[in-house]
């Protein structure tokens, strides 16, 4: 203990300087949006490298399962090609034929959280691979989330298991739509809110993306109705959806981008400005 006290006494000037320097940097970053952006980018770069190393180790022990998933996906894609884009009725997950307005970038998930209220994932692709904020992210089975931050070589994803995420979703059979809402709990179940009680709802109904934005095309699989009720007498159902994607073990992803997203967004912003 005496040696520790002596160390602090001998180096008190340097330690005081380091403390004040750290406080000044924190205040500068918090008060300037430019510095905040640079700080987030640097953090993504550093954490991305660490997650990359961690992922390389864990992926080695997960190769068998991931190879099985890739084999299944390749078989399904071959079936689609050979049958003019139509999928056999016995295959469990419906697939939408996406038009040429969308681009796909394959990526690997190198970090993933699913036990918090605000969960995120990290991808091994970034701006250098044409990944931009607000692009959608899919697994071979369905929706994962939306890009919320990028650096040169990495990107973070706001998971659907995030309380800030509100992906527009609808019933495939009826087009009644609502929003995915995460309140914690089982990472394979997510809430679907604002579905009116007049809508026909049944266990096992397929839920897909609505296509009301440039983030996801219409009809991308999300999951199936696990349970529902409207016992509270509200005008809306309480619905839980079982996700097609296993969010606890997902490794492979596709980042999807709309070629005309900027043009559409600019046009919509102009209309909003005129209305104000």
């Amino acid at each position: 203990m005496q040696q520790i006290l002596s160390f602090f006494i001998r180096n008190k000037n340097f330690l005081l300087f380091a403390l004040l320097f750290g406080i000044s940097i924190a205040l500068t970053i918090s008060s300037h949006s430019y510095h905040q952006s640079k700080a987030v980018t640097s953090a993504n770069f550093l954490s991305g490298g660490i997650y990359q190393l961690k992922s390389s180790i864990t992926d080695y022990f997960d190769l068998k399962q991931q190879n099985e998933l890739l084999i299944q996906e390749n078989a399904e894609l071959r079936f689609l090609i050979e049958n003019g884009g139509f999928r056999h009725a016995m295959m469990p997950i419906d697939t939408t034929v996406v038009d040429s307005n969308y681009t796909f970038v394959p990526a690997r998930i190198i970090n993933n959280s699913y036990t918090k209220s605000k969960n995120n994932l990290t991808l091994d692709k970034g701006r250098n691979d044409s990944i931009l904020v607000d692009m959608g992210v899919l697994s071979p089975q369905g929706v994962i989330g939306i890009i919320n931050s990028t650096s040169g070589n990495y990107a973070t994803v706001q998971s659907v298991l995030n309380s800030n995420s509100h992906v527009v979703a609808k019933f495939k059979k009826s087009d009644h739509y609502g929003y995915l809402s995460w309140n914690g709990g089982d990472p394979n179940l997510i809430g679907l809110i604002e579905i009116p009680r007049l809508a026909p709802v049944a266990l096992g109904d397929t839920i897909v993306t609505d296509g009301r934005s440039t983030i996801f095309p219409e009809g991308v699989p999300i999951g199936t109705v696990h349970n529902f009720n409207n016992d509270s007498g509200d005008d809306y159902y309480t619905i839980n959806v079982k996700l097609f994607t296993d969010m606890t073990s997902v490794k492979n992803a596709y980042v999807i981008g709309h070629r005309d997203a900027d043009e559409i967004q600019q046009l919509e912003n102009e209309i909003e400005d005129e209305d104000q």
Side-chain angles (χ1 to χ4, degrees), residues 86-124:
F86 294 99
R87 189 181 178 89
H88 194 280
M90 294 300 291
M91 294 188 178
I93 300 175
D94 191 16
T95 298
T96 300
V97 178
V98 180
D99 62 43
S100 59
N101 282 333
Y102 289 90
T103 61
F104 292 84
V105 178
R108 193 160 54 92
I109 297 170
I110 58 176
N111 192 51
N112 179 19
S113 65
Y114 48 83
T115 60
K116 307 173 183 177
S117 62
K118 293 180 173 62
N119 294 294
N120 294 277
L121 307 93
T122 305
L123 305 181
D124 67 345

Side-chain angles (χ1 to χ4, degrees), residues 10-62:
R10 287 197 309 271
N11 299 280
K12 61 180 183 296
N13 292 333
F14 173 77
L15 294 174
L16 178 61
F17 167 78
L19 175 63
L20 294 175
F21 183 70
I23 293 174
S24 65
I25 291 178
L27 291 174
T28 300
I29 292 175
S30 63
S31 60
H32 296 83
S33 58
Y34 174 79
H35 293 92
Q36 288 179 356
S37 174
K38 289 299 182 181
V40 170
T41 299
S42 300
N44 281 346
F45 176 78
L46 293 174
S47 60
I50 296 172
Y51 292 146
Q52 181 82 57
L53 177 61
K54 171 189 170 184
S55 178
S56 298
I57 297 173
T58 57
D59 284 354
Y60 176 79
F61 297 98
D62 198 31

Side-chain angles (χ1 to χ4, degrees), residues 38-168:
K38 289 299 182 181
V40 170
T41 299
S42 300
N44 281 346
F45 176 78
L46 293 174
S47 60
I50 296 172
Y51 292 146
Q52 181 82 57
L53 177 61
K54 171 189 170 184
S55 178
S56 298
I57 297 173
T58 57
D59 284 354
Y60 176 79
F61 297 98
D62 198 31
L63 286 176
K64 181 178 180 180
Q65 179 184 3
Q66 296 304 318
N67 283 338
E68 290 175 354
L69 289 174
L70 290 173
I71 290 171
Q72 177 185 352
E73 183 184 4
N74 288 336
E76 293 172 0
L77 290 174
R78 181 178 292 276
F79 187 92
L80 284 171
I81 293 171
E82 293 177 355
N83 290 274
F86 294 99
R87 189 181 178 89
H88 194 280
M90 294 300 291
M91 294 188 178
I93 300 175
D94 191 16
T95 298
T96 300
V97 178
V98 180
D99 62 43
S100 59
N101 282 333
Y102 289 90
T103 61
F104 292 84
V105 178
R108 193 160 54 92
I109 297 170
I110 58 176
N111 192 51
N112 179 19
S113 65
Y114 48 83
T115 60
K116 307 173 183 177
S117 62
K118 293 180 173 62
N119 294 294
N120 294 277
L121 307 93
T122 305
L123 305 181
D124 67 345
K125 298 291 177 64
R127 287 195 304 270
N128 295 339
D129 306 285
S130 301
I131 306 299
L132 302 174
V133 171
D134 287 339
M135 283 185 168
V137 182
L138 312 175
S139 75
Q141 290 75 39
V143 171
I144 292 178
I146 300 172
I147 298 292
N148 60 0
S149 180
T150 63
S151 63
N153 299 306
Y154 301 97
T156 58
V157 182
Q158 183 182 80
S159 170
V160 291
L161 305 182
N162 188 308
S163 59
N164 291 332
S165 175
H166 293 89
V167 174
V168 183

